[in-house]
Amino acid sequence: MEADLNAHPALKAFMCGSLSGTCSTLLFQPLDLVKTRLQTLQNNMHPGAPKVGMITVFFNVIRTEKLLGLWKGVSPSFMRCIPGVGIYFSTFYSLKQHFFQDRSPSAGEAVLLGAGARCVAGVAMLPITVIKTRFESGRYNYISVAGALKSVCQNEGPRALYSGLTATLLRDAPFSGIYVMFYSQAKKTLPQEISSSPFVPLVNFGCGVVAGILASLATQPADVIKTHMQVSPVLYPKTSDAVRHVYAKHGLSGFFRGAVPRSLRRTLMAAMAWTVYEQLMARMGLKS
């Protein structure tokens, strides 16, 4: 315990972020799986085919894969989110302490702060993100994360583990930047009496929900492109290939497939992660 108390602040931020990521990942994994299935469904490729929605996919998974099927891909999600969220928050904390120790960042600076931290975490964890997306798609019969990594390296080469890098960064960096901007600006507008009340975690969560919805909608097209590239890297080796395919098959609406489950998951996950992170940091005596 003494070692924990004397740990470097950035390490404390990593631990707080990892713990918050664990809680949010376990709770909201089913929404991520439904989002991935919606984006990779082939039903809408034929004219006149019935439209498949989030509820239909949800119950179809339960019927064919049982209730635990909704948590398919949770192992790579944990492997990605526990260190990934930790890397994100420790990078965010370090950048904020280095550049904004004496003042709060402006709206534009908050965007750069959030985007920069997300780029570091996104690049570091992309191989696990690729495996997670494939697990959730239902198209691959991987047994374990280690087995999946080995299979991809042997059959497609290590480069496949970084498929969708551009789309991932185009999705995650703006999401995080926009999220941090709206979140920090929303908190600044709160009256002092609310900021010091016992309801701070609930208020922070509410600010996070608003920020998450706006950020999710703005970055949904990049998420659709990323999913196509990571599930079928041979068909879509370039970002432009995936863009053309989605537009040709589904039109502009195709770039917003899976928007509801993704918005729900990303919004609730980010709101919970930030709320838990800030509470843990406060208990450690650190300003988040």
Side-chain angles (χ1 to χ4, degrees):
M1 186 66 182
E2 189 68 30
D4 290 342
L5 291 172
N6 294 329
H8 191 279
L11 181 58
K12 290 182 180 180
F14 178 88
M15 293 189 295
C16 292
S18 295
L19 185 56
S20 70
T22 303
C23 300
S24 53
T25 299
L26 186 61
L27 275 174
F28 303 122
Q29 174 64 19
L31 289 172
D32 200 36
L33 180 130
V34 170
K35 179 266 299 183
T36 300
R37 294 288 175 91
L38 270 176
Q39 290 177 355
T40 54
L41 272 177
Q42 302 300 312
N43 296 58
N44 290 350
M45 295 181 75
H46 306 290
K51 189 175 181 181
V52 178
M54 173 180 148
I55 304 299
T56 305
V57 172
F58 184 85
F59 284 108
N60 187 53
V61 171
I62 293 177
R63 188 175 67 253
T64 59
E65 303 172 46
K66 309 304 180 189
L67 184 63
L68 288 178
L70 291 168
W71 275 268
K72 191 172 186 177
V74 76
S75 295
S77 284
F78 273 140
M79 289 186 68
R80 182 187 68 143
C81 287
I82 294 175
V85 178
I87 291 169
Y88 169 75
F89 277 119
S90 59
T91 305
F92 180 87
Y93 177 83
S94 299
L95 288 173
K96 191 175 180 182
Q97 289 300 303
H98 183 76
F99 293 106
F100 308 105
Q101 194 163 11
D102 302 322
R103 64 181 179 87
S104 297
S106 66
E109 290 167 340
V111 171
L112 294 175
L113 194 60
R118 180 56 64 193
C119 282
V120 173
V123 172
M125 302 311 299
L126 188 63
I128 303 300
T129 303
V130 172
I131 299 303
K132 179 192 81 75
T133 303
R134 292 188 177 195
F135 259 97
E136 293 169 353
S137 72
R139 295 185 183 181
Y140 296 83
N141 296 316
Y142 298 138
I143 305 299
S144 65
V145 176
L149 287 168
K150 184 179 179 182
S151 173
V152 172
C153 287
Q154 286 179 344
N155 299 323
E156 303 170 51
R159 188 175 178 180
L161 292 172
Y162 281 88
S163 56
L165 174 61
T166 303
T168 299
L169 293 181
L170 285 174
R171 176 198 68 169
D172 288 352
F175 176 89
S176 187
I178 294 168
Y179 183 91
V180 171
M181 180 190 71
F182 281 122
Y183 183 67
S184 58
Q185 294 302 305
K187 286 177 66 180
K188 280 182 183 178
T189 62
L190 296 174
Q192 182 58 40
E193 54 268 23
I194 293 180
S195 301
S196 56
S197 73
F199 300 105
V200 170
L202 191 60
V203 173
N204 287 350
F205 189 85
C207 291
V209 167
V210 173
I213 291 172
L214 295 170
S216 291
L217 291 175
T219 57
Q220 179 63 23
D223 185 68
V224 173
I225 300 305
K226 179 221 62 136
T227 299
H228 278 76
M229 291 183 72
Q230 291 179 347
V231 172
S232 306
V234 177
L235 291 176
Y236 318 114
K238 297 178 182 177
T239 304
S240 57
D241 296 329
V243 171
R244 279 196 294 269
H245 168 79
V246 173
Y247 185 75
K249 294 293 182 182
H250 311 296
L252 285 176
S253 63
F255 293 103
F256 291 90
R257 292 184 76 185
V260 174
R262 176 176 177 259
S263 293
L264 277 172
R265 175 185 170 272
R266 286 301 297 264
T267 297
L268 295 174
M269 221 174 149
M272 172 176 275
W274 273 91
T275 302
V276 173
Y277 167 75
E278 291 190 332
Q279 289 301 111
L280 290 173
M281 290 290 278
R283 287 183 178 274
M284 290 188 176
L286 293 171
K287 186 178 180 183
S288 57

